[in-house]
Amino acid sequence: MKEKRNRRLRKKLYLGEFAIKGFEYSCDLDINSEPEFDVFFERFLDVLEERKLCMGSGGDLTSLTGFICSELRYGSATNDDLVAIEAWLNAETVVSNVVMGELVDANYGE
């Protein structure tokens, strides 16, 4: 049974209308050097910053995985953000096998 929580508590716990949504992604990379990776990654960050998104990410010259969400305190990534990031990754010549997750609650994974 769901507990009823007041607005203040929902906000503090990032629940209900205050939930923050984000999505996972992964892709393979065909990059041969650290400087080439740095150029690719900087361009990727520019795309995220334009959409007011941030990410936690990990990888190397052969693959990249991460979670993307809004940089705003109570903001969420949207389906438009997911589609735009997927399109950008697919358009990059050094990227292959792009896999995008669904929008999920960034704090609770639901």
Side-chain angles (χ1 to χ4, degrees):
M1 182 172 149
K2 280 192 160 184
E3 279 185 55
K4 280 196 152 191
R5 295 190 168 112
N6 65 33
R7 186 179 197 288
R8 181 189 61 79
L9 194 53
R10 287 192 315 273
K11 187 173 183 179
K12 187 173 188 174
L13 296 173
Y14 295 93
L15 294 171
E17 68 271 33
F18 301 105
I20 296 172
K21 302 286 185 176
F23 56 90
E24 290 182 306
Y25 75 93
S26 66
C27 61
D28 293 335
L29 301 175
D30 184 22
I31 295 179
N32 299 316
S33 67
E34 290 291 328
E36 186 181 352
F37 179 83
D38 291 344
V39 168
F40 163 77
F41 201 71
E42 285 295 323
R43 287 196 343 263
F44 190 24
L45 290 176
D46 289 342
V47 171
L48 294 174
E49 288 175 4
E50 286 174 11
R51 300 188 74 85
K52 302 224 181 296
L53 299 171
C54 61
M55 77 173 162
S57 189
D60 54 27
L61 299 180
T62 62
S63 67
L64 190 62
T65 62
F67 188 85
I68 296 174
C69 60
S70 174
E71 69 181 16
L72 305 173
R73 182 167 184 182
Y74 292 105
S76 286
T78 65
N79 278 323
D80 288 344
D81 293 326
L82 191 150
V83 169
I85 298 302
E86 181 177 22
W88 187 87
L89 287 170
N90 281 319
E92 289 295 304
T93 58
V94 297
V95 176
S96 61
N97 299 322
V98 176
V99 177
M100 305 298 285
E102 296 179 11
L103 284 176
V104 296
D105 187 309
N107 291 301
Y108 300 101
E110 300 172 351

